[in-house]
């Protein structure tokens, strides 16, 4: 048993080494990538399923590594977060997304621009000044920016979080709770958070219409959002049945592969035109 224990330990430690090495590799490459601008943003349309209008876009970061090719955000965002590099990277995302949004506005394709804020950025004391500087530099009307936050980011020090949310709201920015229903949260706090929108997580949507529980949870989240006068967006919508279920339950804003995956900025205008013809 002892020998086995040792082998097991050896096995785990090799796995840990591999994980630690990958982490270190990504961390080093991230520093280079920021300097060499290896990132792009893609934009996923948020569509009103009733009017087929695009009401906004979510900016999602894409990393094209010169040797590794595409590295998905789930492989590096948490490392950028842990090392603090996310503050610099997040500032780039903000500026790029706002710059693109003002281009869209100039083309008569206004809409919200949502960006994902990480916990580290949210807590960063420079957040408010970064936001106002970017608004000035890019001519972005603050009310078109939506910042997506997760429940877990808000639940640590709730009073500090509420204060920070109010500071952000003072700039005129809108706030969304991302992945709603998956994190630690307390409904009693929800009404104290000055947020504008809930995003129903894909995990609840993906098995509609097969999973009865998921349908009930989704319907309940939508009903609750409406009672609290929050806008609600369903994420990860892939099928017509899901769109219809959501419509029946009064949720008209949807985001997901059914309408469009995240696309390059250069494809956005053509997407809007195609949608109008549907
Ligand atoms: P998220 O904020 O929940 O973003 C939605 C994710 O679902 C995106 O994955 C999107 O491509 C994917 N998705 C959208 N529609 C569908 C669908 O119909 N079916 C399926 N299966 N997936 C769909 P992505 O782009 O890989 O991003 C993953 C996560 O990485 C994001 O989850 C977000 O938490 C994080 N992330 C992405 N960009 C940024 C960023 O600029 N800053 C920060 N802090 N985090 C980011
Ligand atoms: Ca998001
Ligand atoms: Ca989400
Ligand atoms: Ca997510």
């Amino acid at each position: 048993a002892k020998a086995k224990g040792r082998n097991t330990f050896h096995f785990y430690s090799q796995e840990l080494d591999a994980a630690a090495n990958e982490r270190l590799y990504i961390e080093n490459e991230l520093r280079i990538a920021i300097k060499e601008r290896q990132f792009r943003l893609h934009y996923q349309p948020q569509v009103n399923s009733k009017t087929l209008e695009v009401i906004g876009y979510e900016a999602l970061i894409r990393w094209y590594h010169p040797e590794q090719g595409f590295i998905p955000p789930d492989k590096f965002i948490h490392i950028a977060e842990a090392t603090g590099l996310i503050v610099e990277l997040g500032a780039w995302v903000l500026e790029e997304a706002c710059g693109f949004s003002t281009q869209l506005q100039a083309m008569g394709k206004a809409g919200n621009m949502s960006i994902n804020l990480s916990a580290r950025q949210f807590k960063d004391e420079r957040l408010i000044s970064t936001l106002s500087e970017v608004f000035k530099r890019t001519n972005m009307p603050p009310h078109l920016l939506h910042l997506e936050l997760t429940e877990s980011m808000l639940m640590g020090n709730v009073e500090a979080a509420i204060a920070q949310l109010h500071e952000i709201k003072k700039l005129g920015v809108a706030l969304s709770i991302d992945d709603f229903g998956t994190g630690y949260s307390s409904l009693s706090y929800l009404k104290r958070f000055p947020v504008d929108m809930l995003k129903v997580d894909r995990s609840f949507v993906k098995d509609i219409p097969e999973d009865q529980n998921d349908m009930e949870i989704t319907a309940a989240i939508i009903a609750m959002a409406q009672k609290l006068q929050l806008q609600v967006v369903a994420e990860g919508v892939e099928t017509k049945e899901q769109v219809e279920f959501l419509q029946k339950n009064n949720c008209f804003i949807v985001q997901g592969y059914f309408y469009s995956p995240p696309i390059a900025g250069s494809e956005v205008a053509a997407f809007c035109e195609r949608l109008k013809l549907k």
Side-chain angles (χ1 to χ4, degrees):
K2 249 191 188 147
K4 193 179 173 221
R6 212 175 300 137
N7 283 336
T8 308
F9 172 75
H10 187 66
F11 174 70
Y12 281 139
S13 91
Q14 271 182 344
E15 275 200 345
L16 282 177
D17 278 356
N21 280 337
E22 174 171 320
R23 200 186 164 83
L24 214 63
Y25 172 78
I26 296 270
E27 186 182 330
N28 287 330
E29 293 300 306
L30 263 177
R31 291 179 202 280
I32 299 168
I34 292 174
K35 277 205 210 84
E36 296 186 350
R37 304 179 154 274
Q38 294 169 7
F39 302 98
R40 296 277 174 282
L41 292 184
H42 276 187
Y43 301 93
Q44 187 172 36
Q46 298 175 334
V47 175
N48 180 324
S49 67
K50 193 160 53 177
T51 63
L52 294 184
E53 275 166 328
V54 177
I55 69 114
Y57 307 89
E58 178 175 2
L60 293 154
I61 196 164
R62 299 291 176 254
W63 181 6
Y64 299 100
H65 187 276
E67 283 119 43
Q68 308 289 322
F70 174 64
I71 304 178
D74 290 337
K75 280 247 156 59
F76 68 88
I77 289 291
H78 63 287
I79 299 173
E81 171 88 27
T83 54
L85 289 168
I86 194 73
V87 174
E88 198 180 336
L89 194 57
W92 175 81
V93 170
L94 177 69
E95 180 125 17
E96 181 77 12
C98 289
F100 180 62
S101 175
T102 53
Q103 283 179 33
L104 286 176
Q105 292 158 50
M107 290 158 54
K109 303 231 175 322
N112 306 318
M113 181 57 71
S114 295
I115 70 164
N116 293 285
L117 208 63
S118 79
R120 192 93 164 222
Q121 284 174 282
F122 178 63
K123 294 197 184 97
D124 195 288
E125 55 189 18
R126 292 162 295 180
L127 177 64
I128 302 299
S129 59
T130 302
L131 284 166
S132 19
E133 283 160 23
V134 168
F135 294 149
K136 263 191 232 135
R137 273 202 297 272
T138 60
N139 274 317
M140 175 78 174
H143 73 275
L144 291 183
L145 185 71
H146 282 228
L147 294 180
E148 298 191 356
L149 306 118
T150 59
E151 295 155 283
S152 6
M153 284 164 56
L154 302 173
M155 292 312 295
N157 181 344
V158 175
E159 297 309 321
I162 292 174
Q164 179 75 325
L165 293 173
H166 280 291
E167 287 302 307
I168 299 173
K169 291 289 304 175
K170 274 193 216 157
L171 297 171
V173 172
L175 297 168
S176 310
I177 299 192
D178 202 0
D179 305 342
F180 186 77
T182 61
Y184 291 105
S185 70
S186 158
L187 295 181
S188 64
Y189 286 124
L190 187 57
K191 48 177 207 250
R192 292 189 57 208
F193 295 139
V195 297
D196 307 277
M197 181 184 267
L198 296 184
K199 298 188 77 176
V200 182
D201 191 66
R202 186 176 90 86
S203 59
F204 300 116
V205 174
K206 72 180 197 327
D207 296 324
I208 294 174
E210 289 81 31
D211 190 311
Q212 195 63 36
N213 285 334
D214 286 345
M215 290 197 276
E216 264 152 39
I217 293 168
T218 300
I221 293 175
I222 297 165
M224 183 190 66
Q226 284 175 336
K227 288 249 161 60
L228 295 172
Q229 294 185 308
L230 300 174
Q231 277 194 291
V232 54
V233 180
E235 293 193 273
V237 176
E238 295 185 358
T239 69
K240 190 157 183 276
E241 288 75 21
Q242 291 166 351
V243 172
E244 285 165 0
F245 172 84
L246 291 161
Q247 285 181 333
K248 265 190 226 122
N249 285 279
N250 279 313
C251 172
F252 297 98
I253 308 174
V254 302
Q255 188 183 335
Y257 297 168
F258 179 71
Y259 285 112
S260 176
I263 52 181
S266 57
E267 300 174 73
V268 165
F271 171 81
C272 295
E273 294 310 315
R274 275 205 311 280
L275 192 64
K276 271 195 248 159
L277 300 175
K278 279 208 179 176

